[in-house]
Every structure is written in C-alpha cells, then in structure tokens.
Amino acid sequence: MAVRLFSKLKTLPEIRAAYASSAAAAAPVQLSDFDLQHKTPVIRKQQLIPKAHYGGRHAVTMLPGGGIGPECMGYVKDIFKYIGAPVDFEVVDIDPTVDNDEDVQYAITTIKRNGVGLKGNIETKSEAAYVTSRNVALRNELDMYAYVLNCKSFPGVETRHKDIDIVIIRQNTEGEYAMLEHESVRGVIESMKVVTASNSERVARFAFEFAKRNGRKKVTTVHKANIMKLSDGLFLETSRRLAKEYPEIEHNDMIIDNCCMQLVAKPHQFDVMLMTNLYGSIVSNVVCGILGGAGLLSGRNYGDHYAVFEPGTRNTGTAIAGKNIANPIAMINASIDMLEHLGHHFHADLLRTGVNAAINVDRILTPDLGGTATSTEVVDAIKRNISENH
Amino acid sequence: MSLISRNIFRALIQGSQHVGKGVHTSAVNLQENVCHASQSISSLQSSAKEGRIKCTLIPGDGVGPELVYSVQEVFKAANIPVDFESFFFSEVNPTLSAPLEDVVSSIARNKICIKGILATPDFSHTGELQTLNMKLRNALDLYANVVHVKSLPNVKCRHHDVDCIIIREQTEGEYSALEHESVPGVVECLKIITAAKSERIAKFAFDYAVKMGRKKVTAVHKANIMKLGDGLFLRSCEEMAKLYPRIQFEKMIVDNCTMQMVSNPNQFDVMVTPNLYGNIVDNLASGLVGGAGVVAGASYSAECAVFEQGARHIFSGAVGKNIANPTAMLLCSANLLSHVNLHAYSKMIKNAINKVLSDGKVRTKDLGGQSTTKDFTYAIISCLS
C-alpha cells in the first residue's frame, strides 16, 4: 500500500507538468488559417461577424451549383459523415434560370456569416446584360482577391509530364473581369481592363507570403506588359517591387504566350506563378489539362475574411450530370483544402491518404482519366482505403 | 500534507467505484448489439485510437453520481466506444474536489464533457462571489447554453407537442460576479452587457436555428426598463437578424414571455436570452414538459461542448434513495454521441428512451411511477437494439 502511494506521489509532479502543458495547448498553439482570417485587422471597412465555430464544429456554406455539382456535394457529405469531420453544411441552392440576384445575395450573406464556403460551379443561364455572372459576383462581393490552384501530379494518372508541382496564384477580382463594357458607337464595343496598384500589391504580397510559408523557391509573374504597357506594366512593376522585400525567393517574369508554350513543353521550370485574372483562368485550365483534366484539381479563393473552395476548373459538366461518371476527386480535394483551412488537419490527412491510395495505388479512375469506374465506385474506394489505413 | 491525504482519499474512492462498476455490469445481461456506427470513424480528437474517444465526466453533486452511473451502465451495455475521464468536482465539498485547472485542461483536451449539476451555496462565506460553475464556464469560455425543451411520449403534462430551443448567454449579464456594498445596507450588483458577447450569442442562436432547420428566433429582453443594457442586447440581435433573411425574428419582453410560455408554449421555436432570463425561462419550460429529470441541455464554447441537464437542480432530497430520473442525463449522453458523429448509437439510446417512456410500465417517481433509477436504467438497456 505504502509503496503504491509513494509511486503515486512520485508521478504526481509529472502528471501536473503534463497537465500544465496541455492547458497551454488548450488555446490552439498553431492557429488555423480560419482563425487567422478572423484575427487579421480589418483592411476594408467591414462589419465584423462572430465566427461560426461551436463546440469544435464549423458551419460551412455549401453551394452545389449546377451540372455535376449536386452529385459531387452528395459524395462530399457522404464522406464527411463517414470520417466524422466536424463540419455542418448549410446548403444554399441557386436557381440558374431566375433573372434576379436574390439567391446569390443570400448565398453571399451565408458565406459572410460562416466565413467559409464550398462551391460547385454556379450557372448563369441568363444572357441579359444586367445579370452578372454569379461566380464573378460572388468573388467581387466577398472581395476574394486571390485564387490559388495547387497543381500536383497524381502518379496514378497517365499524363505526358510527371511530377509537376506548380502553384498558380491569380488576381481574382479585377483586370479583364471588371465587367465594364459599353458600345460607344454602334458596332464598336469597348471592354475595360482595370488594374489597380492596391489590388496588384495585395495579390503579389499574397503570392510571396504563400511562397515563404510553404517553402517555395521561385515566383514567376505572368503578364503581357510588352503590349499592355500601362495596365500589365503596373502589375509587373508591383510584383518586382515586392520581390525586393523577399530576397530569399527568386523572382522572374514571363510573357503569357511564351508561358503557355513553356507550360506544355517544360512545365518543371515553374514553381509559384502569379498573374492577372484572365491569364490565370487560361493558365489554370492549361495546367489542369496537363495533369489530367477538369476532374482532379481544386482551387481556393481567399479574401481577407472569407475563403471559398471549389473544383479547379470552372466547368459545370452539365453533359455528364446524373450519369454517375463524373469525377468526384476535384470536389473532394476542395473539401480537403477546406478542412486544412479550418484547422482540422487530422481529418484532412485521413481523407487525403484515402484519395491518394484510391487513385495512385488502387487506380480506381473515372472515364475522364482513362478508367472505367463510376463516381460511386471511386467514393467507395476512398472510404475503403480510409478505413484500412485508420 | 492535506494534498497527500486528499489524493489518498481520491485514490481509494475511485478504486472502490471501479470495483462496484465491475460487479454491476456482470450482473447486467449484456446484449449482442449489431451496430453499424462502429465502422465509421468518429471524433473531434486527432489522437483517437482505434476509433475510441475520450470524454471528461463530472458526476456533480446530489443525485449526479447516480445518474452518471446510469449513463455508464447504458454505454457499457451498448458497447459504445467512449472512455470516461472522471473527476470529482464540487463546490460544497472543496477538500475532495479536483482542482479547477485539471478539469479545465481535461475538457479542453477531450473537447467533450458530460456533467452533473454542481451545488452552489446560497451565501458566500469566504467573500468569493464566483461559483465553481461560473469559473468553469469562464475558464473554457462556454458562452452558449442550449436547452432543447421537447415533450416526451406518455409524460403527462398540461401542454403537448412543446418543441422549443432556449439559448442563453452564460458568461456575462447578471452573472458577472461584480457585487459590492457601497454603504452598509446598500448593495450594488452590476449587470454587464457587451456588444461583442451579445452579437456572439445572437449569431450562435441563428446559426443553431439554421443547423436545426428552424424557422423563428425570439429574442427575450427587458429593454423597456433596462434601456441601455438590454437595449444593447436587443440591438445586437436585430443586427444579426439582418444576416438571416430566411429566419423570422421576433422580440418579446421577458415577463410577457413567461406568461406566453405557460399559456401557449407552442408558439416558440428558438429563443435567445441574456443570462438570468435564460435561466428562468429554461426552468419554466422544463417544468412544462416533465421537470428537471427529463430535459437535456448543453453548453458550447468555440472548441468544446459540455453536456448537462437542462434545468439545474441537484435534487439532494433523493440522494441514495434510488428514485431520481436518469432520462435527462441519458438524453445528454445521446446528444453527446451525435455531436461526435456517433449517430447510430445516439439514435439507439434515444429510441430506447422513447420506447420505455411510451410503454409506460417503468416510470420513476417524478413521472408518477414507482420504479427506481436502476429499474429504469435496466429497462433502457433491455430496449437497446
């Protein structure tokens, strides 16, 4: 008895020390990106909304969008339930045929209060001039100025180039997508491309910070400043100026047409790429094509306060909707990005290993990647791999 | 020295508890449970091994330990993959109580806790104004208390089909523990209302309404008298309501609210209240559907969730008599299971409770029966499927 008590006493200080350290750990030592976004000082005057994070669970807006969106979201929900991810989805459906903006405004409000969204591609069926693209409206309204596309090869997918690892960072709110067009004289239409110093600086800083935080070596600015000397010139100049603040990161620039050629010929020379809106759209689709098509990669939209995750290429895939052949990987990858952003690294890792094993080891691929599996078979393979690894 | 003796006592008490548990479980006829949930991985904890999760357990005072014991029996019988980390935590018994820091760090680590009710003495003898409950809430920032008041089958009450959720701010307001006697015979008690915390609780209420698919949120206040304090609370709620155009927002003065609650409780959906009003409305509403023994509640911070009874009574008159109603505690445990994604188990327990209550053969004294706590627990266990 006495011996047992003695041993108990001896271990006591250690237990206490352990408790003390875990008490310090009670406040999250490493803040998740989600927490950081809710801590950053307000850059634009915005109403501060308390974060939707209760009892360890996050509320997230889900916008299924059109085409294959709803079925992919179904798979994501299914898998999240399976791995027990502490996320509650608030689903907002947007009717693509309606001409008014009510649904979109509501969706934007929900993202504002949840802070995070997961979205498919939202269709804008109306071609009336006064109806803006819903996707663009969403990004502008939430001021999500940076778009990040992680392009990393999956060894299990047959492609011309192997081991590609490029990050594309795209200015997301201005440039050619300023949506300022008018017909000055009959038959003459002018479309304005707007480049501002403040937005260029924000996205350039984002790119360099991203490179620094993720241990990247090089940032390439993509532009067409030889033709558009003022607008693209400003963008290029800003990134050159900021590059001086990050001497440890190499910086170079490349003209967009050359860049596309280099990408398909020698993609390994690129590390982090920084570009304006339209070029970003084109280049991300080129890289997605190189890596295996629209169904694999996931993109992230960041603002100062909000983050929205979506499949990397913005195609709705209406033609294959409902046929159970859509590739669910892109949406699942987007959901992994979202889990990382929220700080749920455990669940993100779980899901990532499941996806990697399903694609690279088991090689359960949908027809777009040259396989024969259906969407549900892919999802089942991921689940099976998760339970085997856990 | 006192520390050593305390630890000896604790070791002995815990040891004897374990022995007791073992004996009882072997007496219970364990059922074969086919459960699909075991296939899914569940946890908020990254360290979960083999799908088992840890949960902090605070039995509390009064009948708390008996009720918690009932929960443990049910968990064992259903083979639920939850391990309890038990702490004796009490304000009225400070020598035996575990230190606050230990309990707090355990909850912060496990992120979930199931808790009985802590007794609080009416007068302070040491000059300490904060109760242990308040200290725990403040330490973990458990700002939102949720009580889901729902009519249970076959429980005789004046009203039927009551189904409302009462959300209460519980870290400021009247419970700020700021009181002083400026002149002898004159005591001032400060009620603190801040915009940040009011917005936070209002947002919580609306988000909860969205999550549960509710239609209406009612803010309960007394802004006609306390124009600044409750006025700020009300204004914050109105501000948040603008972000939720698809949820109806209503406001109601607290005195009217209590009257409406007893005469026509079905009109309420989700209610959001400052601290003291919430406490009163919680208890009032619990009384409508069968009393403290049948209503479950939970407190949330950003990171943790503590599940406890909705109406906080320790029922000290029943200690050791084996007559307390474990329904509320079992509902709490079911809510806890669904919070950590063990939905199948949660359903299993809820179904069992519903079945036992609707059969009506086994009822504890508060529901007009003669059965004991143990009888009720075993009835639940035999209904698990």
Side-chain angles (χ1 to χ4, degrees):
Chain A
M1 184 72 202
V3 175
R4 272 169 70 191
L5 269 179
F6 184 66
S7 65
K8 196 171 174 61
L9 279 179
K10 240 173 50 180
T11 54
L12 210 72
E14 288 159 31
I15 295 169
R16 274 180 193 282
Y19 272 174
S21 65
S22 63
V29 192
Q30 201 151 28
L31 289 173
S32 68
D33 292 347
F34 177 76
D35 287 321
L36 279 179
Q37 278 192 330
H38 285 80
K39 266 184 181 295
T40 10
V42 192
I43 292 177
R44 291 205 172 180
K45 270 275 177 229
Q46 237 153 358
Q47 182 196 4
L48 268 184
I49 300 172
K51 54 183 179 176
H53 181 201
Y54 312 114
R57 299 181 75 91
H58 285 91
V60 168
T61 301
M62 178 185 262
L63 309 172
I68 57 168
E71 46 190 287
C72 288
M73 289 302 187
Y75 303 138
V76 168
K77 275 197 216 164
D78 185 24
I79 291 180
F80 269 37
K81 205 168 167 195
Y82 185 74
I83 63 170
V87 169
D88 296 312
F89 286 115
E90 181 184 351
V91 182
V92 181
D93 286 312
I94 297 177
D95 187 349
T97 51
V98 187
D99 263 9
N100 65 33
D101 267 0
E102 200 195 313
D103 283 344
V104 183
Q105 284 309 326
Y106 182 69
I108 290 168
T109 312
T110 63
I111 294 176
K112 276 188 181 164
R113 53 180 154 81
N114 290 330
V116 178
L118 180 67
K119 85 184 242 299
N121 207 322
I122 304 163
E123 287 173 292
T124 316
K125 285 231 175 97
S126 168
E127 284 181 5
Y130 59 90
V131 179
T132 58
S133 157
R134 269 89 199 254
N135 291 310
V136 177
L138 201 75
R139 299 199 294 267
N140 285 352
E141 195 96 358
L142 295 171
D143 190 28
M144 293 188 294
Y145 59 86
Y147 175 81
V148 181
L149 183 70
N150 254 11
C151 313
K152 204 163 188 301
S153 292
F154 284 87
V157 180
E158 289 285 337
T159 46
R160 189 175 295 268
H161 301 285
K162 303 271 171 221
D163 298 326
I164 297 176
D165 187 5
I166 304 174
V167 178
I168 295 171
I169 294 172
R170 157 186 179 192
Q171 210 297 330
N172 216 4
T173 52
E174 53 173 21
E176 301 82 356
Y177 287 42
M179 298 193 291
L180 297 170
E181 294 182 305
H182 55 255
E183 190 164 17
S184 26
V185 204
R186 211 165 245 263
V188 179
I189 293 192
E190 290 179 335
S191 168
M192 287 194 223
K193 165 169 174 171
V194 179
V195 176
T196 62
S198 68
N199 273 333
S200 304
E201 175 163 347
R202 278 207 291 179
V203 74
R205 190 169 296 284
F206 183 93
F208 284 105
E209 280 295 329
F210 183 93
K212 197 171 138 188
R213 261 206 288 164
N214 294 286
R216 297 290 184 142
K217 299 277 176 297
K218 192 169 91 172
V219 173
T220 309
T221 305
V222 179
H223 62 96
K224 189 77 186 170
N226 55 337
I227 306 294
M228 282 167 273
K229 292 183 198 292
L230 289 179
S231 57
D232 277 18
L234 175 63
F235 188 79
L236 178 61
E237 207 172 298
T238 315
S239 62
R240 277 188 186 150
R241 180 160 54 80
L242 278 174
K244 287 189 191 125
E245 293 180 30
Y246 299 86
E248 70 278 15
I249 296 164
E250 190 190 333
H251 177 246
N252 65 350
D253 53 90
M254 194 175 275
I255 292 173
I256 172 74
D257 33 13
N258 180 25
C259 171
C260 286
M261 186 175 67
Q262 297 286 340
L263 261 177
V264 291
K266 286 189 283 175
H268 296 105
Q269 63 181 298
F270 296 105
D271 194 349
V272 176
M273 301 170 78
L274 167 67
M275 56 201 85
T276 57
N277 211 335
L278 182 63
Y279 308 153
S281 175
I282 296 167
V283 169
S284 10
N285 276 271
V286 169
V287 179
C288 282
I290 293 174
L291 291 186
L296 271 182
L297 301 176
S298 59
R300 298 171 274 171
N301 298 283
Y302 286 110
D304 286 325
H305 307 280
Y306 317 112
V308 171
F309 302 88
E310 61 182 340
T313 48
R314 293 165 176 161
N315 314 27
T316 41
T318 316
I320 54 167
K323 291 186 183 157
N324 198 15
I325 51 167
N327 194 343
I329 300 290
M331 195 66 89
I332 293 171
N333 274 335
S335 72
I336 295 175
D337 291 342
M338 185 191 79
L339 286 172
E340 287 283 4
H341 175 77
L342 293 171
H344 298 306
H345 302 296
F346 169 72
H347 293 94
D349 288 342
L350 210 59
L351 192 45
R352 190 178 298 118
T353 42
V355 169
N356 285 342
I359 297 181
N360 301 335
V361 183
D362 296 354
R363 302 186 55 108
I364 311 284
L365 303 173
T366 44
D368 58 319
L369 299 175
T372 52
T374 60
S375 316
T376 36
E377 277 167 7
V378 175
V379 174
D380 289 340
I382 293 172
K383 284 205 246 176
R384 196 177 55 241
N385 276 303
I386 290 172
S387 60
E388 277 167 14
N389 288 328
H390 187 66
Chain B
M1 194 58 214
S2 66
L3 184 77
I4 298 172
S5 62
R6 195 161 95 188
N7 280 311
I8 297 173
F9 270 120
R10 214 190 302 160
L12 287 176
I13 285 167
Q14 282 175 353
S16 62
Q17 274 175 353
H18 283 303
V19 173
K21 262 183 252 161
V23 172
H24 280 294
T25 343
S26 54
V28 180
N29 216 349
L30 282 180
Q31 284 197 318
E32 293 267 321
N33 284 311
V34 190
C35 195
H36 310 288
S38 55
Q39 295 162 3
S40 71
I41 301 138
S42 109
S43 70
L44 299 167
Q45 303 158 358
S46 45
S47 58
K49 276 200 184 110
E50 290 145 24
R52 289 192 77 82
I53 48 175
K54 267 189 173 177
C55 169
T56 308
L57 176 77
I58 302 172
D61 297 310
V63 291
E66 298 173 34
L67 302 180
V68 160
Y69 177 65
S70 155
V71 169
Q72 284 177 317
E73 285 287 271
V74 172
F75 271 39
K76 237 178 246 174
N79 210 6
I80 295 174
V82 173
D83 296 322
F84 289 111
E85 212 172 280
S86 183
F87 286 94
F88 181 74
F89 194 52
S90 166
E91 184 166 10
V92 287
N93 209 341
T95 39
L96 287 178
S97 170
L100 177 69
E101 307 81 64
D102 290 5
V103 177
V104 167
S105 73
S106 162
I107 298 177
R109 195 161 8 95
N110 295 333
K111 311 221 167 162
I112 43 169
C113 170
I114 189 160
K115 169 174 168 292
I117 303 306
L118 305 183
T120 38
D122 277 344
F123 298 104
S124 167
H125 298 292
T126 53
E128 173 72 59
L129 292 176
Q130 277 206 327
T131 67
L132 200 57
N133 251 328
M134 278 148 75
K135 283 182 196 160
L136 183 70
R137 276 178 224 156
N138 288 338
L140 287 164
D141 196 25
L142 293 164
Y143 63 93
N145 182 258
V146 179
V147 175
H148 193 165
V149 179
K150 196 166 190 286
S151 297
L152 289 162
N154 216 359
V155 175
K156 285 207 179 64
C157 300
R158 193 173 291 271
H159 297 284
H160 302 283
D161 304 323
V162 180
D163 185 4
C164 69
I165 296 171
I166 302 163
I167 291 167
R168 159 189 178 199
E169 209 297 327
Q170 55 174 6
T171 53
E172 57 169 19
E174 298 84 353
Y175 287 45
S176 305
L178 295 170
E179 295 183 296
H180 55 258
E181 191 165 18
S182 21
V183 206
V186 179
V187 173
E188 289 179 333
C189 169
L190 299 185
K191 165 171 172 171
I192 310 289
I193 302 272
T194 61
K197 285 194 171 174
S198 302
E199 276 170 14
R200 185 166 75 160
I201 194 70
K203 177 129 191 295
F204 180 94
F206 280 103
D207 278 342
Y208 202 83
V210 168
K211 186 180 161 189
M212 307 307 260
R214 298 296 184 127
K215 297 275 171 298
K216 188 169 81 172
V217 172
T218 309
V220 179
H221 66 100
K222 188 75 189 171
N224 56 335
I225 304 297
M226 278 163 277
K227 292 184 197 294
L228 291 180
D230 280 18
L232 178 60
F233 176 80
L234 191 58
R235 203 142 5 97
S236 309
C237 291
E238 281 171 352
E239 205 56 43
M240 280 301 142
K242 284 182 199 152
L243 294 174
Y244 299 80
R246 293 186 185 177
I247 290 178
Q248 197 191 337
F249 175 68
E250 244 177 31
K251 43 197 173 179
M252 195 178 274
I253 295 175
V254 59
D255 37 9
N256 181 27
C257 173
T258 47
M259 182 175 71
Q260 298 285 339
M261 196 76 186
V262 291
S263 55
N264 180 14
N266 303 52
Q267 67 180 292
F268 293 107
D269 198 344
V270 176
M271 300 160 85
V272 56
T273 71
N275 208 334
L276 181 63
Y277 311 154
N279 190 355
I280 296 168
V281 175
D282 275 353
N283 279 265
L284 181 77
S286 303
L288 290 178
V289 297
V294 296
V295 180
S299 295
Y300 293 92
S301 73
E303 287 290 342
C304 322
V306 174
F307 294 83
E308 56 193 330
Q309 276 169 270
R312 290 171 182 153
H313 296 284
I314 57 163
F315 202 9
S316 53
V319 176
K321 289 189 186 154
N322 198 15
I323 54 167
N325 189 346
T327 308
M329 218 51 169
L330 288 169
L331 282 174
C332 283
S333 70
N335 291 343
L336 177 139
L337 290 172
S338 79
H339 181 77
V340 295
N341 208 43
L342 292 170
H343 297 288
Y345 289 117
S346 166
K347 252 215 188 92
M348 191 159 81
I349 293 182
K350 278 198 175 157
N351 288 343
I353 293 171
N354 278 339
K355 187 145 186 294
V356 172
L357 287 176
S358 10
D359 284 353
K361 285 185 193 130
V362 186
R363 295 158 175 275
T364 46
K365 221 169 165 188
D366 59 326
L367 299 182
Q370 290 298 325
S371 308
T372 62
T373 310
K374 262 187 198 144
D375 291 342
F376 190 85
T377 310
Y378 294 153
I380 297 278
I381 290 174
S382 64
C383 283
L384 293 173
S385 57

